[in-house]
Amino acid sequence: DQQVKQNSPSLSVQEGRISILNCDYTNSMFDYFLWYKKYPAEGPTFLISISSIKDKNEDGRFTVFLNKSAKHLSLHIVPSQPGDSAVYFCAASATDSWGKLQFGAGTQVVVTP
Amino acid sequence: GAVVSQHPSRVICKSGTSVKIECRSLDFQATTMFWYRQFPKQSLMLMATSNEGSKATYEQGVEKDKFLINHASLTLSTLTVTSAHPEDSSFYICSARGGRGRETQYFGPGTRLLVL
């Protein structure tokens, strides 16, 4: 049962424009959310996280928005750069889960010149 | 960010042999490490949670006798794939919990295992 869903398998965006990646979850016990970036044959790289007590967190070009009532979060990357081309995973954890992360299926982002 | 290393980065072995993969947190102490595997074009699937000094906790469907996990110190966890078979071929990734944030996990670069 997929508790974290990324319904868009791929996204193409022009360099300089905004990339918006979406993620939905079903488990209301999740209270911490993370975004990771992954290149082929490499481990995921942590990008940004957000606690359920917040609805927005910003770090440089990356902003994560959390809508708890809709069980939805999104990652905004602006401006998009060619080096942002990668697979982006949304992950979630619950306080009582000892840090276990549930991952979405990932979204392949391609930034075109 | 925190640094996690894995060794080896790739391994090819014959069916029936055992393979050990090491995961180290290089600049922080990790009381908890996690082991994942990823099949092509799929998400990361958690295999087990490894706590320093105690037995690992395995996810449903993961054979603990086949995937032996040892977390002997705060900076080292090992995964041993025993009697490997071709269906065990996968990309194995470890992560360590630590650094900034309550639940942030930092991932190793992964180990590509191919069983012939």
Side-chain angles (χ1 to χ4, degrees), chain A residues 1 3 31-32 36 40 50 53 60 66 75 90 96-97 105 113:
Chain A
D1 178 34
Q3 297 183 52
D31 61 356
Y32 200 81
Y36 286 87
I50 188 167
I53 62 173
L66 175 63
L75 174 68
C90 168
D96 61 351
S97 67

Side-chain angles (χ1 to χ4, degrees), chain A residues 38-43, chain B residues 6-13 19-22 35-42 79 81 86-94 108-116:
Chain A
K38 186 180 182 301
Y39 295 113
E42 293 185 12
Chain B
Q6 265 183 257
H7 178 80
S9 58
R10 55 172 50 194
V11 58
I12 301 173
C13 69
V19 175
K20 180 186 281 189
I21 303 170
E22 291 186 350
W35 287 95
Y36 297 81
R37 68 188 293 184
Q38 184 186 28
F39 291 105
K41 298 186 188 285
Q42 293 189 26
L79 167 68
V81 183
E87 58 267 28
D88 298 324
S89 299
S90 188
F91 191 57
Y92 292 87
I93 311 173
C94 73
T111 297
R112 173 71 63 191
L113 171 63
L114 177 61
V115 185
L116 302 176

